[in-house]
Amino acid sequence: MTIAASPLSPSTGTVDTHCPYCALQCGMRMTGTGIQPRDFPTNRGGLCQKGWTASTLLDSPGRLTSPLVRVDGELRPASWDHALDLVANRVIDLQARHGRDAVAVFGGGGLTNEKAYLLGKFARVALGTAQIDYNGRFCMSSAAAAGTRAFGMDRGLPFPVADLRAADAVLLVGGNPAETMPPFVQHLRGAELIVVDPRRSATAELATLHLAPAPGTDLALALGILHAVVADGHLNHDYLTTRTTGFDDVWRVAAAWWPERVERVTGVAAADQRAAAAMLAAAGNAYVLTGRGTEQHARGADTVSAWINLALALGLPGTPGSGFGCLTGQGNGQGGREHGQKADQLPGYRKLDDPAARAHVAAVWGVDPDSLPGPGRSAYELLDSAPKGLLVFGSNVLVSAPHASRIAGRLSEVDLLVVADVVLSETAAVADVVLPVTQWAEEDGTMTNLEGRVLLRRRAVTAPSGVRTDLAVLRGLATRLGQPADRFPDDAERVFDELARASAGGVADYAGISYDRLRDGAALHWPVPSADHPGTPRAFLDGFAFPDGRARFVAVDHSGPAEPPDDEFPLQATTGRVLAHYQSGAQTRLVPELMAAVPEAYVEVHPDTATRAGVADGDLADVTSRRGTVRARVRYVPSIRVDLVFLPFHFPGAARANLLTNPALDPTSRMPEFKVCAVRLEAVT
């Protein structure tokens, strides 16, 4: 099979837009395919290596420019009509024989707001299926669950990124922005930085204080620092009395976690726990920020709740110049979890099982509320169920899902696998139908960045012939499934206007946002309930999103990782991103400059640990868990814990880090335990 790239037609003039990668959504300016950074509040004229090379993929030889249909075991080019007719007819047949829920949809946190919204509508109206979820379940679900139960609302950063520039102290837990979003780091330079990470990451190197707990013990560490806050007289009593409820229940747990006990569990010195508490308490402006390292656990929601409890005890959330926030990872990881591609959700961050929410959204859609299905399975559970039909938009699940070998096996049982993507990802390569779609610079659409600001990403170049937008794909399928064409528009601005109406009155209210306001340069952070509303850059200043306006402490206790090490698997493995790559690597592995920087998978190991395993720096080694084996090149890292190995998760095949990872699910968020599993390290024989 040959994938031929078509030449791009550059648009006229210069276009201000945003980077296609992470949730920082750095401002950039494009002239044709040329990229220059611009002075936007999140990046202030900076770009990382991925941003500078973002246009390379627009005319990459690996670009898909024709639908592909599997014939006699091989993917072959087909016309759009043939591909869409085939998909629609197979869907109709599968649902007739097996029921509506036999066909499922899997979305992505990189999809624009318009795509995420229309995808949810397509699943629930055109397909009538409850089975839709997205890869953001693997990223932000624990943080979202914890934020919602503490504050009544989930907005990753409920304040602008630029506010961090005035911070005196920042506690950053489980995040490595020096590699994952480098322009973000400039906002931290004026603060005393406390970093919690079992690795001495590039971000930890910048820290005033680095706390390196054993993987899976972050919750215990949070309890220890909270204990120190109370015992050392740093508790903000006035704030607790006037702005919160539930502290007594939390203290009954934390009272038993004095720092010396926590040191025995986490390995973090009691003196360092007390020092962290004192640094935060002494700061005039202080922030607590979390990332995936502390969230991607089978108790991830509780762990984030523990850090929120610490922030509340210090009086930070909703206080000008201070706060609590989570660093959203994917480009539209915030907006992608607000407008309906989540299993239990309707647009505006409404709950699918709320009768009033169903009635409101159904009225916007012109359907009977009773026709809308109920909540479906979470992401891993959806994939593991092996639905008869699966439509994947903007995700590479064969690389990104935990227990990857099992998911590969389950997908092989799917009767109809359809993938819409810009490149032939590992998931697309095993599909029955592949639909080539436009990229970021070839279409208009909105993104909601990590601070809740809605951004207009503008078309800068014309897409190759043979490529369609995701909106056009959904419209084409919906009409073939019997829906009226006007119910599924393929114009992004028209879809956004409908999204705004559907979100009106919801937690994530976009009713007052329009393309015209965004074109005029308005800085609009949701909620924006009316056209004359200026937006809400700083949430919670006047109260939290509960009827009484008070934040909720949530009592949580430490239980440790779902899979502790033992004699057979004596080490722990953790995974993460590296500077040169992004997510599953399907796109960045096609950029020569990025592949030259990090061309293959590797495993970071302490030299003493490597010696005991009989491997040396530069050797290939096998890392094995109860679920599989990854082969990677050894890198000596003297600063890493001797009981820990680290692998990046951007590589395919036998180098997939997720061959190792544990699919144990958080009972609240349904987040898999990506960040810790028991492994052994062995020489390749």
Side-chain angles (χ1 to χ4, degrees):
M1 178 190 63
T2 302
I3 303 172
S6 295
L8 293 166
S9 301
S11 293
T12 302
T14 297
V15 177
D16 284 351
T17 188
H18 295 271
C19 180
Y21 288 109
C22 78
L24 203 58
Q25 285 296 286
C26 294
M28 58 171 53
R29 183 165 289 130
M30 291 189 68
T31 303
T33 58
I35 288 176
Q36 290 294 324
R38 59 188 174 96
D39 190 11
F40 190 72
T42 57
N43 62 307
R44 301 178 80 241
L47 287 177
C48 76
Q49 193 175 14
K50 293 185 291 293
W52 278 109
T53 59
S55 65
T56 303
L57 202 64
L58 294 171
D59 56 3
S60 166
R63 180 73 186 277
L64 292 171
T65 58
S66 170
L68 303 173
V69 171
R70 192 168 298 279
V71 179
D72 296 329
E74 182 180 348
L75 286 173
R76 297 178 181 174
S79 71
W80 271 101
D81 281 341
H82 175 64
L84 294 177
D85 287 346
L86 174 63
V87 172
N89 290 334
R90 291 289 307 279
V91 164
I92 291 168
D93 175 64
L94 289 171
Q95 290 189 317
R97 289 191 288 123
H98 303 286
R100 290 285 193 173
D101 285 353
V103 177
V105 177
F106 199 93
L111 301 178
T112 63
N113 289 318
E114 294 82 358
K115 295 175 186 179
Y117 168 81
L118 206 66
L119 190 63
K121 181 180 179 181
F122 173 81
R124 296 185 175 100
V125 176
L127 293 177
T129 182
Q131 305 310 324
I132 175 172
D133 210 52
Y134 79 125
N135 65 14
R137 178 77 66 174
F138 297 157
C139 298
M140 293 299 300
S141 59
S142 290
T148 298
R149 66 188 183 186
F151 307 128
M153 184 179 94
D154 158 43
R155 204 180 87 189
L157 295 185
F159 48 81
V161 169
D163 284 4
L164 293 168
R165 299 181 68 80
D168 299 303
V170 174
L171 172 64
L172 175 58
V173 188
N176 183 21
E179 289 196 79
T180 60
M181 48 177 68
F184 177 85
V185 175
Q186 64 186 301
H187 300 286
L188 306 177
R189 287 180 181 154
E192 285 193 304
L193 182 60
I194 307 163
V195 172
V196 177
D197 195 320
R199 302 167 60 222
R200 190 159 182 83
S201 65
T203 306
E205 290 284 354
L206 306 174
T208 305
L209 178 63
H210 174 214
L211 310 179
T217 66
D218 285 18
L219 202 160
L221 179 59
L223 290 168
I225 299 174
L226 176 59
H227 190 287
V229 165
V230 177
D232 297 347
H234 303 310
L235 194 64
N236 190 326
H237 293 279
D238 289 343
Y239 180 93
L240 262 62
T241 300
T242 60
R243 302 207 61 187
T244 73
T245 184
F247 176 74
D248 289 346
D249 291 337
V250 166
W251 177 240
R252 274 191 282 272
V253 178
W257 286 96
W258 55 94
E260 286 76 13
R261 180 190 178 194
V262 171
E263 180 177 349
R264 292 195 295 271
V265 172
T266 67
V268 176
D272 286 343
Q273 297 172 51
R274 294 189 173 97
M279 289 167 64
L280 291 168
N285 296 323
Y287 292 86
V288 176
L289 307 175
T290 65
R292 302 305 79 71
T294 202
E295 299 161 10
Q296 289 179 316
H297 294 269
R299 291 286 307 283
D302 284 356
T303 304
V304 178
S305 288
W307 295 113
I308 292 175
N309 290 341
L310 174 64
L312 290 171
L314 292 163
L316 307 182
T319 297
S322 295
F324 173 88
C326 303
L327 300 183
T328 301
Q330 293 195 74
N332 200 30
Q334 181 67 58
R337 66 182 187 267
E338 296 169 358
H339 297 299
Q341 63 174 335
K342 213 164 154 272
D344 57 353
Q345 187 191 79
L346 288 171
Y349 226 128
R350 288 182 163 90
K351 298 297 289 183
L352 186 54
D353 56 5
D354 176 2
R358 294 170 67 89
H360 171 82
V361 173
V364 175
W365 289 350
V367 300
D368 184 342
D370 292 338
S371 71
L372 299 178
R377 299 181 180 93
S378 71
Y380 180 80
E381 293 164 303
L382 185 156
L383 296 172
D384 193 47
S385 72
K388 295 295 182 181
L390 178 62
L391 282 64
V392 179
F393 287 76
S395 189
N396 186 15
V397 296
L398 281 188
V399 177
S400 64
H403 199 347
S405 61
R406 177 174 176 83
I407 294 304
R410 300 302 278 161
L411 289 191
S412 71
E413 300 172 24
V414 172
D415 290 344
L416 174 66
L417 178 60
V418 181
V419 175
D421 211 332
V422 300
V423 299
L424 195 70
S425 70
E426 286 69 29
T427 308
V430 300
D432 299 294
V433 180
V434 181
L435 305 174
V437 292
T438 49
Q439 293 190 59
W440 60 286
E442 299 163 353
E443 59 186 7
D444 291 333
T446 60
M447 309 285 278
T448 305
N449 74 358
L450 77 173
E451 59 187 12
R453 179 175 173 177
V454 181
L455 309 170
L456 181 59
R457 205 165 65 182
R458 305 184 186 195
R459 184 176 68 86
V461 297
T462 301
S465 61
V467 170
R468 295 187 181 181
T469 68
D470 296 80
L471 301 180
V473 170
L474 293 172
R475 177 187 174 94
L477 289 174
T479 55
R480 285 169 170 81
L481 294 171
Q483 292 293 312
D486 61 356
R487 184 171 285 164
F488 286 87
D490 58 5
D491 175 74
E493 185 168 2
R494 185 178 165 195
V495 174
F496 186 86
D497 289 344
E498 183 182 303
L499 178 160
R501 296 195 303 275
S503 74
V507 173
D509 191 335
Y510 284 33
I513 306 176
S514 67
Y515 270 42
D516 283 342
R517 292 189 76 183
L518 297 176
R519 289 186 191 104
D520 289 341
L524 299 174
H525 302 72
W526 67 261
V528 189
S530 64
D532 58 357
H533 192 281
T536 312
R538 295 170 185 86
F540 311 141
L541 296 182
D542 299 323
F544 297 95
F546 291 109
D548 62 3
R550 290 173 176 264
R552 271 60 171 157
F553 279 93
V554 177
V556 293
D557 204 349
H558 169 70
S559 62
E563 185 181 74
D566 56 22
D567 290 343
E568 185 179 4
F569 300 98
L571 303 174
Q572 291 178 301
T574 192
T575 66
R577 281 169 52 189
V578 299
L579 174 62
H581 289 292
Y582 184 70
Q583 301 302 86
S584 74
Q587 297 180 40
T588 52
R589 285 185 271 112
L590 293 177
V591 178
E593 296 93 331
L594 301 180
M595 276 300 284
V598 183
E600 63 178 354
Y602 59 86
V603 55
E604 292 185 356
V605 186
H606 191 282
D608 292 348
T609 305
T611 298
R612 285 195 294 272
V615 298
D617 190 43
D619 287 354
L620 284 174
D622 286 341
V623 184
T624 300
S625 77
R626 288 177 174 84
R627 289 156 295 279
T629 296
V630 170
R631 182 159 293 181
R633 198 164 301 280
V634 172
R635 284 192 183 183
Y636 278 179
V637 179
S639 62
I640 199 170
R641 294 175 58 104
V642 295
D643 56 358
L644 179 69
V645 298
F646 167 84
L647 301 99
F649 53 58
H650 312 292
F651 296 93
R656 281 175 291 171
N658 281 315
L659 290 168
L660 306 175
T661 49
N662 188 355
L665 300 180
D666 183 292
T668 301
S669 67
R670 314 309 287 168
M671 167 75 81
E673 187 150 83
F674 284 104
K675 280 298 183 275
V676 58
C677 64
V679 299
R680 63 175 178 261
L681 181 70
E682 299 172 307
V684 174
T685 56

